[in-house]
Amino acid sequence: MYGNDFSAPDDATGGGLLGEVEAAEAELRAAAARQRRGAPAPDEDLATYFDEVVGAEQKIEPRDWMPEAYRKTLIRQIAQHAHSEIIGMQPEGNWISRAPSLKRKAILLAKVQDEAGHGLYLYAAAETLGVSRDELVRLLLEGRQKYSSIFNYPTLTWADMGAIGWLVDGAAIVNQVPLCRCSYGPYARAMIRVCKEESFHQRQGYEILHTLAHGTPAQQAMAQDAVDRWWYPSLAMFGPPDGNSTHSAQSMAWKIKRFSNDDLRQRFVDMCVQQADILGLRIPDDDLRWNEERQAYDYTQPDYDELMRVISGDGPCNRERMAHRRAAYNDGAWVREAAAAYAAKRAEQKEKVAA
Amino acid sequence: MIAAQRLAEWTSRAPEMEEDIALTNIALDQLGAARLLLSYAGELEGAGRDEDALAYLRDDREFRNVLLVELPNGDFAVTMAKLFFLAAYQLPLYTALAGCADERLAAIGAKARKESAYHLDHGALWVKRLGDGTEESHRRMQAAVDQVWPYTQELFAADPAAPVDPATLRSAFDETVGPVLTEATLTRPESAWAPGGGRAGVHTEHLSYLLAEMQVLHRAHPGARW
């Protein structure tokens, strides 16, 4: 698989979530097989029709009528998601050249390659909403669209590759599994594919941390340090608390979103506590403890002011990440122009031959 | 191994997202072949060195790669020139290895041959696109070919003791490269300069830096598992 020989151990990670992805996929197929109600009648109100399709757990497809705000919300969300995959190549790409074994190097290369693939897949999903990838890339480069706050943190040691896999990919999956049931068909289908690969990545990250946590004292310290640095930024990936989340209510009504930020964050914490235990690593939260009444862990909230600072551009690596992306884009301009010129010449030749 | 290390430097820096995937993919293929070859070399040596010991614990004077692969990436044209020439050499090499008497080498050759064919297609297409694209891309592609060409001589240095004597691969290389350069409107340089020494462990000044980066973490934790 992807040119590496890594096989995932049977551990506690990801298994339940992967099961959910598969259930969502089955549901998607079932919804497709169910007779969807026919096209709207000539005199039928399109908004009512849209609500009915969404209400019946059927998928909205690119040619369907949809509220303009629904289209815009989806474009914003899918594009931001795609941008995150592309920018997200950088923090991990930072360690490819220094990966400590050839096997780990191969796995990391394959992972970063998957991320580029996810980016392309998501841009294609966004394009079904009538926007072009070039336009979205332009919005990213101009800083008018965002990407996930998490990628503005630096990868300082090899253990960060483990922490990113375990915590960042873990949080991403918890966030994205419900999106496999999103009301917009192309996004739901993209998420199913993305989640399957992410789940694999999460296991790999977990495995890196597991090896380090059971390695030399220096490796153990490296692993703990990485978890200490990535824990809160990962919790913050779920977004602001429910009270301050601007888009939540409408997104829930449209069945783009299925659970609130805080619900998903709680779910992630509960999942991680058990896994940290197996890893033998400590989650850096003195107030983390089981709450019998809630049947969930109490935990300390991340610093949302910091989250806002990072989102607005003042995180540790925002400037570098954007500069890197812009440089790749600008340095490659002559290559893209050459490819276009070459393609035009070939097309012209074909026409001449045909004429 | 070294070619993989160089190609991987492009990750997240390529001119197009599709190309990012392609370059990472080729790096992964090269790394895969290197791992098979290094593991087998370690077994033949019988001194208990595995692929990681060979990759991470040898110094530059002990590396046997050709100079071509250790040259810096330069711009996209230089990278494509290196990729194209390397693949045009590796395809006949692995094809010949696939038929050699050593079963392990033959199996590695059979696997790597398929990948090389893909690398060659990819490299050739870009050499043509850049050579016959815009004025700017033509200028850069010709400069890249001029820069890299002398290093292709080393690929074919005769070694009758090798499972496949590299000297026998020259004609296949020329037959592949010639028509592509012509179609790309590029001229083959006439330089007589033929730098070499990689096979004897005498490298360019670039390799030591490449290894310093590649080996830094592994060497900082002697004996650790990863």
Side-chain angles (χ1 to χ4, degrees):
Chain A
M1 185 180 304
Y2 311 116
N4 67 60
D5 59 6
F6 180 82
S7 62
D10 286 328
D11 56 40
T13 62
L17 289 166
L18 198 55
E20 277 186 48
V21 175
E22 272 154 18
E25 190 175 12
E27 214 173 88
L28 195 76
R29 289 186 202 286
R34 268 200 310 271
Q35 195 63 29
R36 191 179 123 169
R37 58 154 298 187
D43 57 346
E44 188 175 0
D45 178 38
L46 288 170
T48 313
Y49 173 79
F50 173 87
D51 290 342
E52 261 184 45
V53 172
V54 171
E57 294 292 333
Q58 300 285 8
K59 298 300 169 199
I60 300 295
E61 296 298 338
R63 272 180 238 169
D64 291 332
W65 181 89
M66 61 189 85
E68 201 44 37
Y70 177 84
R71 184 189 301 275
K72 285 210 169 114
T73 297
L74 275 169
I75 289 176
R76 182 180 50 76
Q77 186 173 338
I78 300 175
Q80 181 168 326
H81 200 153
H83 300 331
S84 300
E85 297 282 358
I86 297 303
I87 299 289
M89 295 167 72
Q90 291 182 41
E92 291 178 294
N94 181 36
W95 280 89
I96 291 174
S97 67
R98 292 172 292 167
S101 75
L102 297 185
K103 179 176 128 176
R104 291 292 173 206
K105 189 190 289 285
I107 291 172
L108 190 58
L109 265 170
K111 180 179 178 187
V112 176
Q113 185 187 359
D114 281 351
E115 280 159 9
H118 293 170
L120 288 183
Y121 203 51
L122 286 159
Y123 283 123
E127 285 188 322
T128 65
L129 291 158
V131 61
S132 74
R133 178 172 114 189
D134 288 349
E135 168 73 2
L136 296 177
V137 168
R138 194 174 59 79
L139 291 171
L140 169 69
L141 295 179
E142 288 173 4
R144 290 164 60 197
Q145 279 185 341
K146 307 277 184 207
Y147 54 89
S148 177
S149 58
I150 195 80
F151 301 121
N152 294 312
Y153 290 88
T155 50
L156 303 179
T157 70
W158 170 253
D160 290 22
M161 299 304 100
I164 287 182
W166 178 44
L167 295 174
V168 175
D169 292 331
I173 302 169
V174 168
N175 234 334
Q176 290 168 11
V177 161
L179 291 172
C180 295
R181 293 189 158 85
C182 158
S183 61
Y184 187 59
Y187 194 26
R189 290 188 286 272
M191 279 300 98
I192 286 172
R193 182 156 142 188
V194 169
C195 281
K196 283 184 183 175
E197 288 182 1
E198 292 288 0
S199 168
F200 187 64
H201 298 163
Q202 195 220 4
R203 285 177 187 225
Q204 291 169 343
Y206 182 88
E207 227 258 342
I208 288 175
L209 282 184
H210 194 272
T211 306
L212 295 177
H214 295 81
T216 66
Q219 286 178 306
Q220 288 168 32
M222 195 193 283
Q224 185 61 57
D225 169 62
V227 171
D228 290 349
R229 282 182 289 110
W230 288 93
W231 173 251
Y232 281 113
S234 301
L235 284 194
M237 281 174 71
F238 294 92
D242 293 349
N244 304 341
S245 181
T246 20
H247 307 290
S248 282
Q250 183 59 73
S251 287
M252 302 260 275
W254 279 329
K255 296 191 178 170
I256 295 174
K257 231 177 133 137
R258 297 285 178 146
F259 301 96
S260 76
N261 293 353
D262 287 334
D263 284 350
L264 291 171
R265 190 165 13 240
Q266 179 71 57
R267 192 174 166 179
F268 175 68
V269 171
D270 292 346
M271 186 181 95
C272 287
V273 172
Q274 185 199 356
Q275 293 169 0
D277 203 39
I278 305 172
L279 285 171
L281 293 172
R282 183 183 170 274
I283 288 174
D285 180 356
D286 290 335
D287 295 324
L288 183 75
R289 59 180 56 88
W290 179 249
N291 182 324
E292 189 61 35
E293 203 173 310
R294 291 199 307 118
Q295 288 293 301
Y297 283 91
D298 290 336
Y299 62 97
T300 308
Q301 293 288 323
D303 177 351
Y304 293 110
D305 291 338
E306 176 182 319
L307 174 66
M308 288 308 144
R309 277 198 303 278
V310 175
I311 288 177
S312 63
D314 287 337
C317 296
N318 298 56
R319 285 161 176 79
E320 275 177 61
R321 300 291 185 241
M322 289 303 291
H324 180 107
R325 194 66 242 146
R326 287 194 192 106
Y329 185 81
N330 294 335
D331 294 349
W334 69 274
V335 176
R336 294 189 300 274
E337 283 159 17
Y342 179 80
K345 283 184 198 175
R346 295 287 87 77
E348 205 176 297
Q349 274 177 358
K350 254 189 203 166
E351 257 174 43
K352 272 189 196 153
V353 172
Chain B
M1 174 77 252
I2 304 300
Q5 187 75 2
R6 282 292 185 222
L7 280 170
E9 290 173 12
W10 274 99
T11 302
S12 85
R13 289 186 167 83
E16 294 179 340
M17 291 174 205
E18 284 81 357
E19 195 52 29
D20 226 311
I21 297 181
L23 292 178
T24 309
N25 198 28
I26 297 171
L28 204 47
D29 287 344
Q30 294 286 17
L31 180 57
R35 293 181 63 192
L36 293 171
L37 289 167
L38 288 174
S39 295
Y40 185 39
E43 284 174 37
L44 289 179
E45 184 191 45
R49 293 202 287 182
D50 62 7
E51 58 176 27
D52 286 336
L54 289 171
Y56 290 96
L57 300 174
R58 281 183 301 156
D59 292 324
D60 58 307
R61 293 284 279 112
E62 299 166 274
F63 266 75
R64 293 289 176 265
N65 61 278
V66 290
L67 305 185
L68 174 71
V69 296
E70 73 197 40
L71 299 178
N73 282 335
D75 67 7
F76 189 69
V78 173
T79 294
M80 283 303 129
K82 289 195 322 173
L83 173 68
F84 174 55
F85 293 144
L86 181 66
Y89 154 76
Q90 283 186 326
L91 181 58
L93 169 67
Y94 287 133
T95 303
L97 271 185
C100 81
D102 184 318
E103 276 181 32
R104 282 281 289 282
L105 275 181
I108 296 171
K111 179 178 184 292
R113 175 181 55 183
K114 295 177 202 152
E115 295 165 351
S116 290
Y118 161 71
H119 307 165
L120 181 60
D121 277 351
H122 195 75
L125 183 58
W126 272 114
V127 168
K128 288 189 266 183
R129 278 177 179 153
L130 298 178
D132 193 17
T134 63
E135 255 178 59
E136 166 75 354
S137 70
H138 177 83
R139 181 186 68 72
R140 287 191 190 228
M141 195 65 234
Q142 184 65 56
V145 168
D146 292 347
Q147 181 195 329
V148 169
W149 181 261
Y151 293 90
T152 61
Q153 314 289 350
E154 185 189 9
L155 299 171
F156 307 104
D159 181 359
V164 172
D165 184 347
T168 63
L169 305 170
R170 177 93 225 188
S171 60
F173 176 84
D174 288 338
E175 278 162 32
T176 307
V177 165
V180 172
L181 292 182
T182 305
E183 205 187 320
T185 71
L186 298 166
T187 44
R188 193 168 134 165
E190 292 298 333
S191 169
W193 182 51
R199 297 297 190 204
V202 180
H203 291 273
T204 65
E205 292 174 347
H206 305 294
L207 184 65
S208 177
Y209 285 100
L210 181 149
L211 294 181
E213 183 174 340
M214 185 174 103
Q215 298 175 338
V216 60
L217 180 57
H218 188 95
R219 286 189 185 256
H221 298 264
R225 281 182 55 246
W226 299 96

